[in-house]
PDB file of all heavy atoms in Angstrom:
ATOM      1  N   LEU A  10       2.019  16.714 -10.733  1.00 98.00           N
ATOM      2  CA  LEU A  10       2.639  15.904  -9.698  1.00 98.00           C
ATOM      3  C   LEU A  10       2.136  14.482  -9.921  1.00 98.00           C
ATOM      4  O   LEU A  10       0.931  14.246  -9.951  1.00 98.00           O
ATOM      5  CB  LEU A  10       2.255  16.391  -8.292  1.00 98.00           C
ATOM      6  CG  LEU A  10       2.600  17.831  -7.952  1.00 98.00           C
ATOM      7  CD1 LEU A  10       2.217  18.148  -6.517  1.00 98.00           C
ATOM      8  CD2 LEU A  10       4.082  18.102  -8.179  1.00 98.00           C
ATOM      9  N   ARG A  11       3.068  13.573 -10.099  1.00 96.00           N
ATOM     10  CA  ARG A  11       2.689  12.194 -10.403  1.00 96.00           C
ATOM     11  C   ARG A  11       3.286  11.241  -9.361  1.00 96.00           C
ATOM     12  O   ARG A  11       4.354  10.648  -9.565  1.00 96.00           O
ATOM     13  CB  ARG A  11       3.169  11.802 -11.797  1.00 96.00           C
ATOM     14  CG  ARG A  11       2.437  12.591 -12.862  1.00 96.00           C
ATOM     15  CD  ARG A  11       2.701  12.053 -14.222  1.00 96.00           C
ATOM     16  NE  ARG A  11       1.972  12.837 -15.189  1.00 96.00           N
ATOM     17  CZ  ARG A  11       2.237  12.876 -16.465  1.00 96.00           C
ATOM     18  NH1 ARG A  11       3.236  12.160 -16.941  1.00 96.00           N
ATOM     19  NH2 ARG A  11       1.514  13.634 -17.279  1.00 96.00           N
ATOM     20  N   PRO A  12       2.580  11.087  -8.247  1.00 95.00           N
ATOM     21  CA  PRO A  12       3.080  10.169  -7.220  1.00 95.00           C
ATOM     22  C   PRO A  12       2.955   8.740  -7.702  1.00 95.00           C
ATOM     23  O   PRO A  12       2.018   8.388  -8.431  1.00 95.00           O
ATOM     24  CB  PRO A  12       2.163  10.434  -6.043  1.00 95.00           C
ATOM     25  CG  PRO A  12       0.979  11.131  -6.596  1.00 95.00           C
ATOM     26  CD  PRO A  12       1.370  11.786  -7.866  1.00 95.00           C
ATOM     27  N   GLU A  13       3.902   7.948  -7.301  1.00 90.00           N
ATOM     28  CA  GLU A  13       3.886   6.518  -7.642  1.00 90.00           C
ATOM     29  C   GLU A  13       2.992   5.826  -6.608  1.00 90.00           C
ATOM     30  O   GLU A  13       1.798   5.901  -6.708  1.00 90.00           O
ATOM     31  CB  GLU A  13       5.314   5.985  -7.655  1.00 90.00           C
ATOM     32  CG  GLU A  13       6.198   6.666  -8.706  1.00 90.00           C
ATOM     33  CD  GLU A  13       5.817   6.342 -10.136  1.00 90.00           C
ATOM     34  OE1 GLU A  13       5.552   5.177 -10.451  1.00 90.00           O
ATOM     35  OE2 GLU A  13       5.806   7.286 -10.963  1.00 90.00           O
ATOM     36  N   SER A  14       3.551   5.164  -5.610  1.00 93.00           N
ATOM     37  CA  SER A  14       2.767   4.420  -4.612  1.00 93.00           C
ATOM     38  C   SER A  14       2.854   5.141  -3.270  1.00 93.00           C
ATOM     39  O   SER A  14       3.936   5.398  -2.766  1.00 93.00           O
ATOM     40  CB  SER A  14       3.305   2.999  -4.458  1.00 93.00           C
ATOM     41  OG  SER A  14       3.215   2.308  -5.679  1.00 93.00           O
ATOM     42  N   TYR A  15       1.698   5.429  -2.690  1.00 95.00           N
ATOM     43  CA  TYR A  15       1.655   6.141  -1.414  1.00 95.00           C
ATOM     44  C   TYR A  15       2.005   5.199  -0.257  1.00 95.00           C
ATOM     45  O   TYR A  15       1.468   4.115  -0.131  1.00 95.00           O
ATOM     46  CB  TYR A  15       0.257   6.688  -1.138  1.00 95.00           C
ATOM     47  CG  TYR A  15      -0.184   7.766  -2.107  1.00 95.00           C
ATOM     48  CD1 TYR A  15      -1.275   7.557  -2.930  1.00 95.00           C
ATOM     49  CD2 TYR A  15       0.491   8.977  -2.156  1.00 95.00           C
ATOM     50  CE1 TYR A  15      -1.702   8.548  -3.795  1.00 95.00           C
ATOM     51  CE2 TYR A  15       0.068   9.971  -3.026  1.00 95.00           C
ATOM     52  CZ  TYR A  15      -1.020   9.751  -3.837  1.00 95.00           C
ATOM     53  OH  TYR A  15      -1.440  10.725  -4.702  1.00 95.00           O
ATOM     54  N   MET A  16       2.897   5.666   0.591  1.00 96.00           N
ATOM     55  CA  MET A  16       3.238   4.881   1.791  1.00 96.00           C
ATOM     56  C   MET A  16       2.037   4.612   2.666  1.00 96.00           C
ATOM     57  O   MET A  16       1.917   3.548   3.272  1.00 96.00           O
ATOM     58  CB  MET A  16       4.334   5.594   2.594  1.00 96.00           C
ATOM     59  CG  MET A  16       5.676   5.633   1.916  1.00 96.00           C
ATOM     60  SD  MET A  16       6.898   6.519   2.911  1.00 96.00           S
ATOM     61  CE  MET A  16       8.267   6.561   1.776  1.00 96.00           C
ATOM     62  N   GLN A  17       1.090   5.550   2.706  1.00 95.00           N
ATOM     63  CA  GLN A  17      -0.098   5.370   3.523  1.00 95.00           C
ATOM     64  C   GLN A  17      -0.922   4.172   3.075  1.00 95.00           C
ATOM     65  O   GLN A  17      -1.643   3.587   3.903  1.00 95.00           O
ATOM     66  CB  GLN A  17      -0.948   6.656   3.467  1.00 95.00           C
ATOM     67  CG  GLN A  17      -0.414   7.772   4.354  1.00 95.00           C
ATOM     68  CD  GLN A  17       0.849   8.460   3.843  1.00 95.00           C
ATOM     69  OE1 GLN A  17       1.287   8.247   2.712  1.00 95.00           O
ATOM     70  NE2 GLN A  17       1.428   9.301   4.682  1.00 95.00           N
ATOM     71  N   ASN A  18      -0.804   3.738   1.824  1.00 91.00           N
ATOM     72  CA  ASN A  18      -1.533   2.564   1.373  1.00 91.00           C
ATOM     73  C   ASN A  18      -0.990   1.268   2.000  1.00 91.00           C
ATOM     74  O   ASN A  18      -1.670   0.240   1.932  1.00 91.00           O
ATOM     75  CB  ASN A  18      -1.501   2.452  -0.143  1.00 91.00           C
ATOM     76  CG  ASN A  18      -2.391   3.492  -0.799  1.00 91.00           C
ATOM     77  OD1 ASN A  18      -3.233   4.099  -0.159  1.00 91.00           O
ATOM     78  ND2 ASN A  18      -2.189   3.696  -2.074  1.00 91.00           N
ATOM     79  N   ILE A  19       0.180   1.331   2.603  1.00 92.00           N
ATOM     80  CA  ILE A  19       0.697   0.180   3.342  1.00 92.00           C
ATOM     81  C   ILE A  19      -0.235  -0.115   4.523  1.00 92.00           C
ATOM     82  O   ILE A  19      -0.446  -1.266   4.864  1.00 92.00           O
ATOM     83  CB  ILE A  19       2.126   0.435   3.837  1.00 92.00           C
ATOM     84  CG1 ILE A  19       3.084   0.551   2.634  1.00 92.00           C
ATOM     85  CG2 ILE A  19       2.608  -0.636   4.803  1.00 92.00           C
ATOM     86  CD1 ILE A  19       4.464   1.106   2.981  1.00 92.00           C
ATOM     87  N   LEU A  20      -0.804   0.902   5.079  1.00 90.00           N
ATOM     88  CA  LEU A  20      -1.701   0.749   6.239  1.00 90.00           C
ATOM     89  C   LEU A  20      -3.091   0.291   5.857  1.00 90.00           C
ATOM     90  O   LEU A  20      -3.745  -0.401   6.608  1.00 90.00           O
ATOM     91  CB  LEU A  20      -1.797   2.084   6.996  1.00 90.00           C
ATOM     92  CG  LEU A  20      -0.481   2.714   7.442  1.00 90.00           C
ATOM     93  CD1 LEU A  20      -0.706   4.050   8.075  1.00 90.00           C
ATOM     94  CD2 LEU A  20       0.294   1.774   8.355  1.00 90.00           C
ATOM     95  N   GLY A  21      -3.553   0.680   4.692  1.00 80.00           N
ATOM     96  CA  GLY A  21      -4.869   0.298   4.238  1.00 80.00           C
ATOM     97  C   GLY A  21      -5.284   1.160   3.061  1.00 80.00           C
ATOM     98  O   GLY A  21      -4.684   2.209   2.796  1.00 80.00           O
ATOM     99  N   TYR A  22      -6.305   0.744   2.355  1.00 67.00           N
ATOM    100  CA  TYR A  22      -6.761   1.444   1.169  1.00 67.00           C
ATOM    101  C   TYR A  22      -8.279   1.502   1.167  1.00 67.00           C
ATOM    102  O   TYR A  22      -8.938   0.487   1.304  1.00 67.00           O
ATOM    103  CB  TYR A  22      -6.241   0.739  -0.094  1.00 67.00           C
ATOM    104  CG  TYR A  22      -6.544   1.495  -1.365  1.00 67.00           C
ATOM    105  CD1 TYR A  22      -5.787   2.615  -1.695  1.00 67.00           C
ATOM    106  CD2 TYR A  22      -7.573   1.116  -2.176  1.00 67.00           C
ATOM    107  CE1 TYR A  22      -6.081   3.318  -2.847  1.00 67.00           C
ATOM    108  CE2 TYR A  22      -7.859   1.806  -3.322  1.00 67.00           C
ATOM    109  CZ  TYR A  22      -7.110   2.914  -3.669  1.00 67.00           C
ATOM    110  OH  TYR A  22      -7.381   3.623  -4.809  1.00 67.00           O
ATOM    111  N   GLN A  23      -8.838   2.688   1.030  1.00 54.00           N
ATOM    112  CA  GLN A  23     -10.275   2.896   0.962  1.00 54.00           C
ATOM    113  C   GLN A  23     -11.011   2.261   2.125  1.00 54.00           C
ATOM    114  O   GLN A  23     -12.074   1.646   1.966  1.00 54.00           O
ATOM    115  CB  GLN A  23     -10.840   2.346  -0.369  1.00 54.00           C
ATOM    116  CG  GLN A  23     -10.372   3.085  -1.594  1.00 54.00           C
ATOM    117  CD  GLN A  23     -10.987   4.482  -1.667  1.00 54.00           C
ATOM    118  OE1 GLN A  23     -12.093   4.704  -1.222  1.00 54.00           O
ATOM    119  NE2 GLN A  23     -10.252   5.396  -2.254  1.00 54.00           N
ATOM    120  N   GLY A  24     -10.424   2.379   3.303  1.00 52.00           N
ATOM    121  CA  GLY A  24     -11.102   1.904   4.505  1.00 52.00           C
ATOM    122  C   GLY A  24     -10.831   0.446   4.867  1.00 52.00           C
ATOM    123  O   GLY A  24     -11.234  -0.003   5.922  1.00 52.00           O
ATOM    124  N   ASP A  25     -10.140  -0.305   4.005  1.00 57.00           N
ATOM    125  CA  ASP A  25      -9.805  -1.660   4.411  1.00 57.00           C
ATOM    126  C   ASP A  25      -8.584  -1.609   5.310  1.00 57.00           C
ATOM    127  O   ASP A  25      -8.031  -0.549   5.579  1.00 57.00           O
ATOM    128  CB  ASP A  25      -9.586  -2.585   3.190  1.00 57.00           C
ATOM    129  CG  ASP A  25      -8.401  -2.172   2.324  1.00 57.00           C
ATOM    130  OD1 ASP A  25      -7.830  -1.079   2.554  1.00 57.00           O
ATOM    131  OD2 ASP A  25      -8.065  -2.949   1.428  1.00 57.00           O
ATOM    132  N   ASN A  26      -8.147  -2.730   5.792  1.00 64.00           N
ATOM    133  CA  ASN A  26      -7.028  -2.781   6.726  1.00 64.00           C
ATOM    134  C   ASN A  26      -6.013  -3.781   6.192  1.00 64.00           C
ATOM    135  O   ASN A  26      -6.263  -4.971   6.187  1.00 64.00           O
ATOM    136  CB  ASN A  26      -7.497  -3.160   8.126  1.00 64.00           C
ATOM    137  CG  ASN A  26      -6.376  -3.142   9.126  1.00 64.00           C
ATOM    138  OD1 ASN A  26      -5.220  -2.865   8.812  1.00 64.00           O
ATOM    139  ND2 ASN A  26      -6.698  -3.455  10.359  1.00 64.00           N
ATOM    140  N   ASN A  27      -4.861  -3.279   5.745  1.00 61.00           N
ATOM    141  CA  ASN A  27      -3.821  -4.172   5.218  1.00 61.00           C
ATOM    142  C   ASN A  27      -3.052  -4.883   6.317  1.00 61.00           C
ATOM    143  O   ASN A  27      -2.324  -5.825   6.051  1.00 61.00           O
ATOM    144  CB  ASN A  27      -2.803  -3.375   4.395  1.00 61.00           C
ATOM    145  CG  ASN A  27      -3.342  -2.931   3.058  1.00 61.00           C
ATOM    146  OD1 ASN A  27      -4.432  -3.302   2.684  1.00 61.00           O
ATOM    147  ND2 ASN A  27      -2.558  -2.144   2.359  1.00 61.00           N
ATOM    148  N   LEU A  28      -3.212  -4.417   7.536  1.00 70.00           N
ATOM    149  CA  LEU A  28      -2.418  -4.931   8.650  1.00 70.00           C
ATOM    150  C   LEU A  28      -3.330  -5.681   9.611  1.00 70.00           C
ATOM    151  O   LEU A  28      -4.031  -5.092  10.408  1.00 70.00           O
ATOM    152  CB  LEU A  28      -1.739  -3.791   9.378  1.00 70.00           C
ATOM    153  CG  LEU A  28      -0.919  -2.855   8.508  1.00 70.00           C
ATOM    154  CD1 LEU A  28      -0.496  -1.640   9.285  1.00 70.00           C
ATOM    155  CD2 LEU A  28       0.292  -3.574   7.950  1.00 70.00           C
ATOM    156  N   ASN A  29      -3.326  -7.001   9.527  1.00 74.00           N
ATOM    157  CA  ASN A  29      -4.185  -7.799  10.378  1.00 74.00           C
ATOM    158  C   ASN A  29      -3.395  -8.967  10.887  1.00 74.00           C
ATOM    159  O   ASN A  29      -2.920  -9.791  10.085  1.00 74.00           O
ATOM    160  CB  ASN A  29      -5.431  -8.246   9.617  1.00 74.00           C
ATOM    161  CG  ASN A  29      -6.461  -8.867  10.515  1.00 74.00           C
ATOM    162  OD1 ASN A  29      -6.331  -8.820  11.728  1.00 74.00           O
ATOM    163  ND2 ASN A  29      -7.467  -9.446   9.901  1.00 74.00           N
ATOM    164  N   LYS A  30      -3.215  -9.040  12.191  1.00 79.00           N
ATOM    165  CA  LYS A  30      -2.491 -10.169  12.822  1.00 79.00           C
ATOM    166  C   LYS A  30      -1.092 -10.305  12.239  1.00 79.00           C
ATOM    167  O   LYS A  30      -0.642 -11.394  11.874  1.00 79.00           O
ATOM    168  CB  LYS A  30      -3.276 -11.465  12.701  1.00 79.00           C
ATOM    169  CG  LYS A  30      -4.622 -11.397  13.385  1.00 79.00           C
ATOM    170  CD  LYS A  30      -5.402 -12.698  13.246  1.00 79.00           C
ATOM    171  CE  LYS A  30      -6.747 -12.526  13.894  1.00 79.00           C
ATOM    172  NZ  LYS A  30      -7.605 -13.671  13.695  1.00 79.00           N
ATOM    173  N   ASN A  31      -0.403  -9.157  12.115  1.00 89.00           N
ATOM    174  CA  ASN A  31       0.999  -9.122  11.662  1.00 89.00           C
ATOM    175  C   ASN A  31       1.164  -9.652  10.219  1.00 89.00           C
ATOM    176  O   ASN A  31       2.209 -10.182   9.886  1.00 89.00           O
ATOM    177  CB  ASN A  31       1.924  -9.831  12.618  1.00 89.00           C
ATOM    178  CG  ASN A  31       1.963  -9.137  13.969  1.00 89.00           C
ATOM    179  OD1 ASN A  31       1.078  -8.375  14.325  1.00 89.00           O
ATOM    180  ND2 ASN A  31       3.005  -9.368  14.713  1.00 89.00           N
ATOM    181  N   ILE A  32       0.122  -9.471   9.450  1.00 89.00           N
ATOM    182  CA  ILE A  32       0.201  -9.821   8.017  1.00 89.00           C
ATOM    183  C   ILE A  32      -0.044  -8.561   7.230  1.00 89.00           C
ATOM    184  O   ILE A  32      -1.004  -7.856   7.413  1.00 89.00           O
ATOM    185  CB  ILE A  32      -0.853 -10.906   7.678  1.00 89.00           C
ATOM    186  CG1 ILE A  32      -0.585 -12.171   8.453  1.00 89.00           C
ATOM    187  CG2 ILE A  32      -0.883 -11.144   6.175  1.00 89.00           C
ATOM    188  CD1 ILE A  32      -1.656 -13.231   8.305  1.00 89.00           C
ATOM    189  N   LEU A  33       0.915  -8.283   6.336  1.00 91.00           N
ATOM    190  CA  LEU A  33       0.810  -7.150   5.426  1.00 91.00           C
ATOM    191  C   LEU A  33       0.232  -7.696   4.108  1.00 91.00           C
ATOM    192  O   LEU A  33       0.784  -8.608   3.523  1.00 91.00           O
ATOM    193  CB  LEU A  33       2.189  -6.520   5.190  1.00 91.00           C
ATOM    194  CG  LEU A  33       2.286  -5.406   4.185  1.00 91.00           C
ATOM    195  CD1 LEU A  33       1.448  -4.207   4.616  1.00 91.00           C
ATOM    196  CD2 LEU A  33       3.740  -4.987   4.025  1.00 91.00           C
ATOM    197  N   ARG A  34      -0.894  -7.148   3.679  1.00 89.00           N
ATOM    198  CA  ARG A  34      -1.560  -7.648   2.489  1.00 89.00           C
ATOM    199  C   ARG A  34      -1.533  -6.604   1.384  1.00 89.00           C
ATOM    200  O   ARG A  34      -1.559  -5.414   1.648  1.00 89.00           O
ATOM    201  CB  ARG A  34      -3.032  -7.936   2.824  1.00 89.00           C
ATOM    202  CG  ARG A  34      -3.220  -8.993   3.870  1.00 89.00           C
ATOM    203  CD  ARG A  34      -4.681  -9.142   4.323  1.00 89.00           C
ATOM    204  NE  ARG A  34      -5.655  -8.871   3.278  1.00 89.00           N
ATOM    205  CZ  ARG A  34      -6.566  -7.916   3.373  1.00 89.00           C
ATOM    206  NH1 ARG A  34      -6.652  -7.134   4.397  1.00 89.00           N
ATOM    207  NH2 ARG A  34      -7.437  -7.755   2.392  1.00 89.00           N
ATOM    208  N   SER A  35      -1.508  -7.067   0.146  1.00 91.00           N
ATOM    209  CA  SER A  35      -1.705  -6.203  -1.006  1.00 91.00           C
ATOM    210  C   SER A  35      -2.170  -7.021  -2.200  1.00 91.00           C
ATOM    211  O   SER A  35      -2.140  -8.251  -2.160  1.00 91.00           O
ATOM    212  CB  SER A  35      -0.428  -5.434  -1.371  1.00 91.00           C
ATOM    213  OG  SER A  35       0.344  -6.145  -2.304  1.00 91.00           O
ATOM    214  N   TYR A  36      -2.555  -6.316  -3.233  1.00 92.00           N
ATOM    215  CA  TYR A  36      -3.015  -6.943  -4.469  1.00 92.00           C
ATOM    216  C   TYR A  36      -1.970  -6.799  -5.571  1.00 92.00           C
ATOM    217  O   TYR A  36      -2.289  -7.009  -6.733  1.00 92.00           O
ATOM    218  CB  TYR A  36      -4.337  -6.300  -4.892  1.00 92.00           C
ATOM    219  CG  TYR A  36      -5.394  -6.355  -3.829  1.00 92.00           C
ATOM    220  CD1 TYR A  36      -5.675  -5.222  -3.049  1.00 92.00           C
ATOM    221  CD2 TYR A  36      -6.093  -7.531  -3.547  1.00 92.00           C
ATOM    222  CE1 TYR A  36      -6.625  -5.264  -2.034  1.00 92.00           C
ATOM    223  CE2 TYR A  36      -7.031  -7.570  -2.545  1.00 92.00           C
ATOM    224  CZ  TYR A  36      -7.310  -6.436  -1.793  1.00 92.00           C
ATOM    225  OH  TYR A  36      -8.246  -6.484  -0.792  1.00 92.00           O
ATOM    226  N   PHE A  37      -0.744  -6.449  -5.212  1.00 92.00           N
ATOM    227  CA  PHE A  37       0.317  -6.200  -6.205  1.00 92.00           C
ATOM    228  C   PHE A  37       1.214  -7.388  -6.447  1.00 92.00           C
ATOM    229  O   PHE A  37       2.183  -7.284  -7.214  1.00 92.00           O
ATOM    230  CB  PHE A  37       1.194  -5.016  -5.753  1.00 92.00           C
ATOM    231  CG  PHE A  37       0.609  -3.681  -6.087  1.00 92.00           C
ATOM    232  CD1 PHE A  37       0.079  -2.900  -5.073  1.00 92.00           C
ATOM    233  CD2 PHE A  37       0.583  -3.220  -7.382  1.00 92.00           C
ATOM    234  CE1 PHE A  37      -0.452  -1.655  -5.369  1.00 92.00           C
ATOM    235  CE2 PHE A  37       0.047  -1.960  -7.679  1.00 92.00           C
ATOM    236  CZ  PHE A  37      -0.462  -1.190  -6.661  1.00 92.00           C
ATOM    237  N   GLY A  38       0.970  -8.496  -5.794  1.00 91.00           N
ATOM    238  CA  GLY A  38       1.834  -9.664  -5.996  1.00 91.00           C
ATOM    239  C   GLY A  38       3.255  -9.338  -5.559  1.00 91.00           C
ATOM    240  O   GLY A  38       3.457  -8.801  -4.474  1.00 91.00           O
ATOM    241  N   ASP A  39       4.218  -9.648  -6.423  1.00 90.00           N
ATOM    242  CA  ASP A  39       5.620  -9.438  -6.093  1.00 90.00           C
ATOM    243  C   ASP A  39       6.198  -8.174  -6.715  1.00 90.00           C
ATOM    244  O   ASP A  39       7.414  -7.996  -6.759  1.00 90.00           O
ATOM    245  CB  ASP A  39       6.445 -10.647  -6.566  1.00 90.00           C
ATOM    246  CG  ASP A  39       6.048 -11.918  -5.826  1.00 90.00           C
ATOM    247  OD1 ASP A  39       5.715 -11.820  -4.623  1.00 90.00           O
ATOM    248  OD2 ASP A  39       6.068 -12.994  -6.445  1.00 90.00           O
ATOM    249  N   ALA A  40       5.351  -7.279  -7.193  1.00 90.00           N
ATOM    250  CA  ALA A  40       5.813  -6.076  -7.887  1.00 90.00           C
ATOM    251  C   ALA A  40       6.666  -5.218  -6.942  1.00 90.00           C
ATOM    252  O   ALA A  40       6.404  -5.076  -5.753  1.00 90.00           O
ATOM    253  CB  ALA A  40       4.639  -5.259  -8.369  1.00 90.00           C
ATOM    254  N   ILE A  41       7.692  -4.620  -7.513  1.00 91.00           N
ATOM    255  CA  ILE A  41       8.502  -3.633  -6.792  1.00 91.00           C
ATOM    256  C   ILE A  41       7.929  -2.274  -7.158  1.00 91.00           C
ATOM    257  O   ILE A  41       7.812  -1.916  -8.334  1.00 91.00           O
ATOM    258  CB  ILE A  41       9.985  -3.731  -7.212  1.00 91.00           C
ATOM    259  CG1 ILE A  41      10.538  -5.093  -6.787  1.00 91.00           C
ATOM    260  CG2 ILE A  41      10.781  -2.600  -6.581  1.00 91.00           C
ATOM    261  CD1 ILE A  41      11.944  -5.385  -7.291  1.00 91.00           C
ATOM    262  N   LEU A  42       7.558  -1.521  -6.135  1.00 93.00           N
ATOM    263  CA  LEU A  42       6.916  -0.234  -6.336  1.00 93.00           C
ATOM    264  C   LEU A  42       7.827   0.889  -5.834  1.00 93.00           C
ATOM    265  O   LEU A  42       8.703   0.670  -4.998  1.00 93.00           O
ATOM    266  CB  LEU A  42       5.584  -0.181  -5.589  1.00 93.00           C
ATOM    267  CG  LEU A  42       4.602  -1.300  -5.933  1.00 93.00           C
ATOM    268  CD1 LEU A  42       3.411  -1.281  -4.985  1.00 93.00           C
ATOM    269  CD2 LEU A  42       4.144  -1.193  -7.376  1.00 93.00           C
ATOM    270  N   SER A  43       7.588   2.059  -6.310  1.00 95.00           N
ATOM    271  CA  SER A  43       8.312   3.254  -5.898  1.00 95.00           C
ATOM    272  C   SER A  43       7.416   4.026  -4.926  1.00 95.00           C
ATOM    273  O   SER A  43       6.301   4.391  -5.273  1.00 95.00           O
ATOM    274  CB  SER A  43       8.636   4.094  -7.129  1.00 95.00           C
ATOM    275  OG  SER A  43       9.298   5.272  -6.770  1.00 95.00           O
ATOM    276  N   TRP A  44       7.926   4.312  -3.719  1.00 97.00           N
ATOM    277  CA  TRP A  44       7.095   4.805  -2.625  1.00 97.00           C
ATOM    278  C   TRP A  44       7.327   6.271  -2.330  1.00 97.00           C
ATOM    279  O   TRP A  44       8.443   6.763  -2.352  1.00 97.00           O
ATOM    280  CB  TRP A  44       7.383   3.974  -1.361  1.00 97.00           C
ATOM    281  CG  TRP A  44       6.998   2.556  -1.561  1.00 97.00           C
ATOM    282  CD1 TRP A  44       7.802   1.526  -1.977  1.00 97.00           C
ATOM    283  CD2 TRP A  44       5.698   1.989  -1.392  1.00 97.00           C
ATOM    284  NE1 TRP A  44       7.084   0.366  -2.073  1.00 97.00           N
ATOM    285  CE2 TRP A  44       5.793   0.614  -1.710  1.00 97.00           C
ATOM    286  CE3 TRP A  44       4.474   2.519  -0.994  1.00 97.00           C
ATOM    287  CZ2 TRP A  44       4.697  -0.233  -1.631  1.00 97.00           C
ATOM    288  CZ3 TRP A  44       3.404   1.662  -0.915  1.00 97.00           C
ATOM    289  CH2 TRP A  44       3.514   0.293  -1.244  1.00 97.00           C
ATOM    290  N   VAL A  45       6.240   6.956  -1.966  1.00 98.00           N
ATOM    291  CA  VAL A  45       6.296   8.350  -1.529  1.00 98.00           C
ATOM    292  C   VAL A  45       5.277   8.562  -0.413  1.00 98.00           C
ATOM    293  O   VAL A  45       4.182   7.986  -0.439  1.00 98.00           O
ATOM    294  CB  VAL A  45       6.001   9.323  -2.705  1.00 98.00           C
ATOM    295  CG1 VAL A  45       4.632   9.112  -3.310  1.00 98.00           C
ATOM    296  CG2 VAL A  45       6.209  10.771  -2.284  1.00 98.00           C
ATOM    297  N   ASP A  46       5.665   9.322   0.592  1.00 98.00           N
ATOM    298  CA  ASP A  46       4.776   9.689   1.692  1.00 98.00           C
ATOM    299  C   ASP A  46       3.847  10.805   1.209  1.00 98.00           C
ATOM    300  O   ASP A  46       4.314  11.747   0.555  1.00 98.00           O
ATOM    301  CB  ASP A  46       5.602  10.157   2.885  1.00 98.00           C
ATOM    302  CG  ASP A  46       4.797  10.318   4.153  1.00 98.00           C
ATOM    303  OD1 ASP A  46       3.692  10.898   4.099  1.00 98.00           O
ATOM    304  OD2 ASP A  46       5.305   9.902   5.232  1.00 98.00           O
TER     305      ASP A  46
END
């Protein structure tokens, strides 16, 4: 099973918080990713 990008990582990764003050953060720049829950 080879998942691409987990939807749960939208919320945070390894205990960090991607969602702070209505800002969604990531380290992927402008990359288009394929998502799976």
